[in-house]
Every structure is written in structure tokens, then in C-alpha cells.
Amino acid sequence: MSQTRTASATYTMTDIENVVRRVTADLAMIADSTGAWTPQQAADYAHDIGVLAKAGYLAWVDVTLLQFGVELKAVRFDVDTDAGTLTTSRPGGVLWPRVSGANLRIVISYTSAYTSAAREVTRGKLKISWTTSYDDTSHSSLSSSGGRNYVSSTYGMQRKDWAA
């Protein structure tokens, strides 16, 4: 007779909040350095990221600095619910340039758990009216430029950075 064992990643709402706080700091730095978002806009995006992350609906967040439609910088935060082997980093490294014609684009991706019923339950908790995006977030015109890991217990977000 054979036995099987399963292990599951364990993290708490506090762990998610700790990670989202680091992402929030990055969003605030991006907003402040580029001048393309107000502090309130950055806070509203961070709020929604937190709501979706805590509910298990967030897969990734992508933020891109565009100048007249051309990508200059980008970061992507990939949710990792089994991040226990990663070492956490401090927020930062996102003092992006302030350029004329700047626009910040944020795109989020949901997990498969974000069903139409989940959307209805979550709608009243979100500050942003999110719409479907068909934008290319592969950043093929940019070069990879490092990243950071934000981890608490086994919950984390791996940040990938790109630059022109």
C-alpha cells in the first residue's frame, strides 16, 4: 500500500497586505517620478490590486511608461503563491524619467477564479472601472533590466523590469 502526501502553501491576509504594501510603494514612486499619475490615482490602483490579491483573483499587474505611445520603461508584478524559497527585496529602483507626452498604462490579469459571479461580488469594492485591454504587454521593444521579489511567508510577487 502506498501513501501520498500533499503540501500546500500557507499564507495569511497579513502576508498579502505586506507584499501589496511593497507594490504600492513602487506605484507611488513611479507616479511621483513620472508625474503621469496623481498620488490618488496610484493609491486607487494599489487599493484595487490589494482587493483582487486578497480574494485570490490577481494573476499579474503590468505598468508601462509610454512617451507618445512608445514604451520607455515597464514593470510586471507576477503573483506567486508558493514563494517561500524567494528572498524579499525592498521596494525601489523605479525612479522613472519625467518626459513630455508621458502616459502610464496599467494592465491587470485575473486568475481563472475571477468568474462573472466573482466580478459582481468584487465590483463594489474596487475604485477603478477596469475595462478589457488588448494592449501588447510583452515589452518586445524593451530590454530586460532586472527585477525584485516581494515575499511574505509563501505569498509573493516577482517584479520584472524592462527599459529602452
Side-chain angles (χ1 to χ4, degrees):
M1 178 165 117
S2 66
Q3 283 187 316
T4 57
R5 288 184 166 194
T6 59
S8 62
T10 56
Y11 53 87
T12 66
M13 288 298 153
T14 301
D15 293 319
I16 295 171
E17 290 166 358
N18 288 339
V19 170
V20 169
R21 220 176 357 263
R22 292 179 181 109
V23 172
T24 298
D26 280 352
L27 294 180
M29 282 185 249
I30 290 168
D32 186 57
S33 64
T34 64
W37 284 342
T38 66
Q40 187 58 56
Q41 285 174 300
D44 288 349
Y45 288 128
H47 170 270
D48 286 6
I49 289 166
V51 167
L52 294 165
K54 287 181 202 172
Y57 300 146
L58 187 67
W60 52 260
V61 177
D62 188 278
V63 180
T64 307
L65 172 63
L66 301 126
Q67 182 181 31
F68 301 113
V70 177
E71 292 188 354
L72 298 181
K73 296 259 190 189
V75 292
R76 176 174 296 194
F77 301 92
D78 288 302
V79 173
D80 185 345
T81 57
D82 192 16
T85 60
L86 299 176
T87 302
T88 199
S89 308
R90 291 174 51 123
V94 286
L95 293 176
W96 290 358
R98 188 174 289 243
V99 296
S100 63
N103 179 46
L104 285 172
R105 175 186 66 205
I106 184 167
V107 178
I108 59 174
S109 180
Y110 306 107
T111 64
S112 59
Y114 199 52
T115 62
S116 55
R119 278 179 171 76
E120 286 305 312
V121 170
T122 309
R123 186 181 321 271
K125 299 176 184 175
L126 300 177
K127 294 189 175 189
I128 305 296
S129 295
W130 296 94
T131 59
T132 302
S133 171
Y134 298 100
D135 290 351
D136 177 8
T137 58
S138 67
H139 309 301
S140 57
S141 65
L142 302 176
S143 300
S144 179
S145 62
R148 296 181 184 221
N149 296 322
Y150 302 141
V151 181
S152 183
S153 187
T154 60
Y155 188 87
M157 289 195 198
Q158 296 181 46
R159 191 184 90 196
K160 298 174 193 164
D161 299 10
W162 289 271

